[in-house]
Amino acid sequence: MLSVCATALAEPSEAEQPLITTPAEMFQAISKSHVDANMPPEDKLHSILGRDLKAFAETEFPERDAGDPRYQILGMKQDGIGWPRLYMIVNFDNEQAPEQWGLLSAIAKDQERFEVEHFLTVAEAKAEPGAAQKLFPPEVFQWLNEAADRE
């Protein structure tokens, strides 16, 4: 004998997201989910970013005492299913060495770490102006051009 069990469908709660009905909404939802899953919470963002920038400086510039990097976040970008990226101005300097500053992109991963993807100094941008255009969004590259013009 076959028995059938029927269960009533629960009414959706107010907290549930509405049904995604267009491709644009789907891509926005995917993008948001990647940012939510990978970007550290705001109260931890600067401690995690500072730690990982310092580790990058110690590896990239081993001859220098890295100190605490100074940075200004210029913006964030998240494309498709890729990792969210922060774009920033970073200054790696200390009392014993001249400033080492430029543009940096870092990938946010698992709300726990940032991996530096690209670092381009002002001197490198002057030597190879096309490099920054390939590595950074136009809005970020504009800042580097303005900084290079001031030097």
Side-chain angles (χ1 to χ4, degrees):
M1 176 192 262
L2 182 65
S3 97
V4 177
C5 179
T7 57
L9 293 175
E11 290 293 320
S13 71
E14 291 180 8
E16 289 185 75
Q17 296 293 322
L19 185 64
I20 294 173
T21 58
T22 67
E25 288 175 348
M26 180 185 68
F27 289 121
Q28 287 175 342
I30 290 170
S31 179
K32 181 179 179 336
S33 73
H34 281 274
V35 171
D36 292 346
N38 291 292
M39 191 63 66
E42 195 166 332
D43 63 333
K44 295 180 181 178
L45 179 113
H46 293 288
S47 63
I48 293 170
L49 183 57
R51 176 200 69 200
D52 294 344
L53 290 176
K54 185 172 183 169
F56 168 77
E58 290 168 351
T59 302
E60 188 71 18
F61 313 115
E63 71 283 358
R64 306 155 64 88
D65 173 21
D68 290 324
R70 293 178 291 157
Y71 60 90
Q72 177 185 348
I73 297 172
L74 299 174
M76 186 194 81
K77 190 172 184 182
Q78 202 288 318
D79 292 320
I81 60 169
W83 303 103
R85 285 177 178 78
L86 285 181
Y87 294 96
M88 63 197 82
I89 305 163
V90 178
N91 186 347
F92 299 108
D93 67 351
N94 61 36
E95 294 177 9
Q96 296 83 29
E99 292 184 357
Q100 185 69 41
W101 66 278
L103 293 179
L104 184 140
S105 65
I107 300 169
K109 291 193 172 181
D110 304 323
Q111 296 186 342
E112 297 175 359
R113 69 186 189 281
F114 286 93
E115 294 179 7
V116 172
E117 186 177 40
H118 302 289
F119 176 69
L120 188 63
T121 66
V122 171
E124 290 167 333
K126 285 181 180 180
E128 297 180 45
Q133 291 174 325
K134 293 177 184 175
L135 299 176
F136 297 94
E139 303 85 357
V140 176
F141 180 67
Q142 179 182 348
W143 177 90
L144 189 59
N145 273 343
E146 290 168 3
D149 290 342
R150 288 190 296 269
E151 283 201 350

